[in-house]
Amino acid sequence: MAADISDVNVDVSKISDETWEKFIGGLDVSFKGNTSELAFEEDNFDDFLKNLDELELVHPLVEHSWGQRVVRFYDPDGHIIEVG
């Protein structure tokens, strides 16, 4: 069954290395040839976090200074996906 994405907000951003470093506290990021991310907002974020077992995470859960909690992971093609 396909997910209902009729209410999904999508943001495509080009993010500098310096900004990445600030976002994830200096952890190394492998862009795998990609220098952008696809970002999604999830209303049931805590439930979403329970289903990340088989994903290659860019970093663990991060809470930004403005209160947004996010996790980033690689899709099978190496693109960075953010969910917050």
Side-chain angles (χ1 to χ4, degrees):
M1 173 183 243
D4 176 11
I5 60 169
S6 59
D7 242 2
V8 173
N9 293 320
V10 177
D11 176 32
V12 178
S13 304
K14 175 135 174 86
I15 300 175
S16 69
D17 290 351
E18 180 180 288
T19 300
W20 272 119
E21 188 175 311
K22 289 178 186 174
F23 276 177
I24 62 173
L27 295 174
D28 289 333
V29 174
S30 171
F31 289 105
K32 299 183 181 186
N34 301 293
T35 56
S36 60
E37 71 175 17
L38 186 61
F40 298 90
E41 294 181 10
E42 172 58 55
D43 290 335
N44 298 313
F45 188 68
D46 291 321
D47 288 337
F48 177 83
L49 292 175
K50 296 174 187 175
N51 297 303
L52 300 179
D53 294 338
E54 298 189 22
L55 296 175
E56 180 184 357
L57 297 179
V58 174
H59 59 76
L61 174 66
V62 171
E63 183 168 341
H64 292 295
S65 60
W66 56 89
Q68 180 188 25
R69 296 184 310 146
V70 301
V71 64
R72 292 181 178 91
F73 54 90
Y74 297 104
D75 77 1
D77 294 320
H79 302 97
I80 296 174
I81 308 294
E82 173 190 295
V83 177

